Amino acid sequence: MGSAPEVLAQRSCGKLVGTRVLQYLNGGPLSFKTHQAIVLIVTFLAYASYHATRKTTSIVKSVLDPKSDDIGLTFFPLRRINFTESSGSRRLSSNLGDGWEPFNGSDGTSLLGELDVAFLAVYAFGMYFSGHFGDRCNLRNFLTVGMIGTGLFTSLFGVGYWGNIHNFYYYLVVQMIAGLFQSTGWPSVVAVVGNWFGKSKRGLIMGIWNAHTSIGNIAGSLIASAMLSYGWGWSFVVPGLIIAFVGLVVFLILPVTPQSVGANREEDEDSYPKKSGEEIAEPLLNQETPVEEKAVGFIQAWKIPGVAPFALCLFFAKLVAYTFLYWLPFYVSHTAIDGRYLSSEASGTLSTLFDVGGVLGGILAGHISDHLEARAITAASFMYCAIPALFFYRSYGHISLILNGVLMFITGMFVNGPYALITTAVSADLGTHKSLKGNSRALATVTAIIDGTGSIGAAVGPLLTGYISAKSWSAVFTMLMAAALIAGLLLTRLVVSEVATKIEESRSNRSQECTSEV
């Protein structure tokens, strides 16, 4: 009636302007399921926009640093770009020409690799701090600031086109600051979704939800490719404006926890912390009184069973995934397919098939891990399957455009499946591990540790590729296959444990059946 939890809930609810508008349109309070739907949709759009801004650099690479003039494949909907000489004037971005200084020199590929590693190194470093702060502050405000900051610095990279900026350090600094703001995204959205959904179908729900990574990559590729004909600067500015707008939507409407909007948790029996019949008043007060439930420390989070092996596995899984994220369009545009070369725009469009495969892979990995109740077995199996997929893509992808697309799709499915599973369902599971004894304030920290460690691998992969690809793309794929193998092996102990558990359960069930028959 007039209890402290209800007053606090009403006060928090009043801060969410978007929620108040939806309640007015609905003619009353929103149901728990409606709030869950809002959380999934808003966080999906939020992280998709993060990846859309992250993908643009890979599309523009072949414009900044063109290496091949033999480009002439016309294939609908892949459009051909004209390449005409224009003496005494700077080529338009739709014409590769001599590229963009300082990336058009002999060390251009290496410089682009350094931009990638600078971005990802700061991103990984910032991730640890973002998780720490995320468990200690308002996630909605934290996420909003991160998205608007990302939009600003992504746009500033594109401003270099109109400002005729050719100083490498300008682009380096802008990328580093953008990486810092980008690090706010993942711990925040996983923590919010983890607050609203229980464990029973978490793998499937988060597998579907994690399609935002691939959808964001696809959207970023298509937007950046489409904007190239107007000038490569627009390939950065447009995604930057989009993420800033979505950031405002997050600020207006995203409910961080059920308690923050006074939602009734009785509809979700698997939710964490405890449901209504088990003293919901206590968690409600704890959310508003951090002193009663301390956020888990960095070292303590590392000690949670499973965090270290999954974090190290993700190091190598993201090394593979992010090498494709940053270098696949460049690789496609510089590899003869059926004897011809694709344009930068066409390569960017074709590369989206990798992410389409990633959507299916994430959903399959989540569903399979839910069905088997075995996250490690599922993740390791996908990583092992990625090895032959990588081999076949490198060996036979050049034969025809259709075969390239099919093999790219399959590779994306096996590469992104375990990456999606570990960064979503596994992180959420470990963030509410039983060893925490009911402390719900570890989600962002655990997520940050796992994804932050993975992001170090994400920085190493593109950096090594920048140097190795100058000598041999076959060597790059060998590196990726070795990384996939190591990722699978790192989960061996957990796999053995899960297999032993399954055998024990099977024996127990058989024993019960025999007893009942007697």
Side-chain angles (χ1 to χ4, degrees):
M1 295 294 195
S3 65
E6 290 176 343
V7 172
L8 290 171
Q10 291 171 3
R11 197 176 298 164
S12 299
C13 187
K15 296 178 183 177
L16 288 173
V17 177
T19 300
R20 294 173 65 186
V21 171
L22 290 175
Q23 287 179 340
Y24 174 78
L25 295 175
N26 189 54
L30 302 178
S31 68
F32 188 85
K33 295 293 184 184
T34 301
H35 280 298
Q36 285 184 312
I38 291 171
V39 167
L40 286 178
I41 293 170
V42 174
T43 53
F44 184 99
L45 293 175
Y47 209 68
S49 64
Y50 270 105
H51 262 264
T53 59
R54 204 175 298 176
K55 183 66 176 178
T56 54
T57 307
S58 67
I59 302 300
V60 179
K61 270 179 181 170
S62 53
V63 173
L64 301 177
D65 177 32
K67 296 293 185 187
S68 174
D69 294 325
D70 184 17
I71 302 176
L73 177 62
T74 302
F75 181 83
F76 185 79
L78 309 180
R79 296 184 294 160
R80 180 182 176 183
I81 297 176
N82 296 319
F83 299 91
T84 57
E85 295 289 337
S86 178
S87 58
S89 63
R90 177 171 59 84
R91 307 281 178 87
L92 294 175
S93 67
S94 57
N95 301 325
L96 291 187
D98 295 326
W100 186 267
E101 191 181 347
F103 305 106
N104 58 352
S106 59
D107 61 344
T109 303
S110 298
L111 290 178
L112 289 169
E114 288 173 17
L115 283 185
D116 291 342
V117 75
F119 172 90
L120 291 166
V122 174
Y123 174 80
F125 181 75
M127 184 76 73
Y128 293 117
F129 290 95
S130 293
H132 178 82
F133 290 124
D135 279 329
R136 291 163 174 79
C137 67
N138 187 306
L139 282 172
R140 182 169 54 89
N141 295 338
F142 188 61
L143 187 57
T144 300
V145 171
M147 295 180 74
I148 293 176
T150 297
L152 173 63
F153 283 91
T154 299
S155 299
L156 284 176
F157 193 103
V159 167
Y161 173 78
W162 294 285
N164 204 26
I165 299 173
H166 298 281
N167 188 319
F168 171 72
Y169 293 102
Y170 169 81
Y171 298 104
L172 182 67
V173 171
V174 167
Q175 280 289 80
M176 290 173 71
I177 299 176
L180 185 62
F181 278 108
Q182 284 259 359
S183 69
T184 61
W186 193 239
S188 301
V189 295
V190 172
V192 172
V193 173
N195 287 336
W196 282 90
F197 292 90
K199 292 185 179 181
S200 61
K201 295 182 179 178
R202 184 176 278 166
L204 177 60
I205 291 172
M206 286 193 155
I208 297 172
W209 172 75
N210 193 67
H212 53 48
T213 299
S214 298
I215 297 298
N217 290 340
I218 292 169
S221 297
L222 296 177
I223 292 171
S225 297
M227 292 295 106
L228 284 177
S229 59
Y230 302 101
W232 64 260
W234 286 110
S235 296
F236 290 91
V237 171
V238 172
L241 293 175
I242 290 173
I243 191 172
F245 172 77
V246 177
L248 292 177
V249 173
V250 166
F251 179 77
L252 293 174
I253 202 172
L254 181 65
V256 174
T257 64
Q259 294 80 20
S260 68
V261 289
N264 187 352
R265 302 189 66 106
E266 284 184 337
E267 298 177 41
D268 184 18
E269 295 182 357
D270 294 319
S271 291
Y272 188 94
K274 296 183 186 297
K275 56 186 177 182
S276 172
E278 299 174 298
E279 302 297 330
I280 192 170
E282 185 177 346
L284 280 170
L285 287 173
N286 286 350
Q287 290 291 334
E288 299 294 335
T289 313
V291 177
E292 295 185 25
E293 188 180 82
K294 284 188 176 182
V296 171
F298 184 78
I299 301 300
Q300 184 183 354
W302 266 106
K303 293 179 180 179
I304 296 173
V307 168
F310 273 115
L312 294 173
C313 172
L314 191 62
F315 174 96
F316 291 97
K318 285 192 79 169
L319 184 153
V320 179
Y322 269 66
T323 296
F324 273 88
L325 174 69
Y326 280 98
W327 285 100
L328 182 57
F330 186 89
Y331 169 75
V332 172
S333 68
H334 292 77
T335 300
I337 301 175
D338 195 17
R340 294 173 291 181
Y341 288 88
L342 288 171
S343 68
S344 300
E345 195 173 336
S347 299
T349 305
L350 178 63
S351 68
T352 59
L353 287 174
F354 178 83
D355 296 298
V356 175
V359 173
L360 178 61
I363 295 172
L364 279 176
H367 176 67
I368 292 170
S369 69
D370 277 346
H371 181 71
L372 297 178
E373 295 183 352
R375 309 289 197 209
I377 292 174
T378 305
S381 299
F382 269 71
M383 289 311 309
Y384 292 137
C385 289
I387 298 172
L390 288 164
F391 174 78
F392 286 121
Y393 180 68
R394 172 57 183 168
S395 300
Y396 304 106
H398 66 280
I399 293 176
S400 72
L401 191 65
I402 293 176
L403 186 59
N404 185 288
V406 171
L407 292 174
M408 186 188 296
F409 177 90
I410 294 171
T411 303
M413 183 174 68
F414 287 120
V415 168
N416 283 341
Y419 161 40
L421 179 65
I422 294 171
T423 55
T424 54
V426 170
S427 295
D429 288 351
L430 296 175
T432 54
H433 195 271
K434 60 184 180 181
S435 65
L436 295 171
K437 298 178 181 178
N439 190 343
S440 63
R441 304 192 65 196
L443 269 171
T445 300
V446 169
T447 301
I449 285 175
I450 292 176
D451 202 47
T453 304
S455 296
I456 298 174
V460 171
L463 175 66
L464 293 177
T465 300
Y467 290 101
I468 298 173
S469 63
K471 298 180 180 179
S472 169
W473 276 104
S474 294
V476 171
F477 276 83
T478 299
M479 174 189 74
L480 298 179
M481 287 186 281
L485 175 62
I486 295 170
L489 291 175
L490 283 167
L491 295 180
T492 300
R493 186 173 63 83
L494 295 178
V495 169
V496 171
S497 175
E498 288 182 349
V499 170
T501 300
K502 293 298 175 187
I503 293 174
E504 185 61 34
E505 287 177 355
S506 178
R507 286 175 179 171
S508 176
N509 291 336
R510 251 185 260 143
S511 158
Q512 289 177 359
E513 287 175 5
C514 291
T515 304
S516 61
E517 287 176 4
V518 173

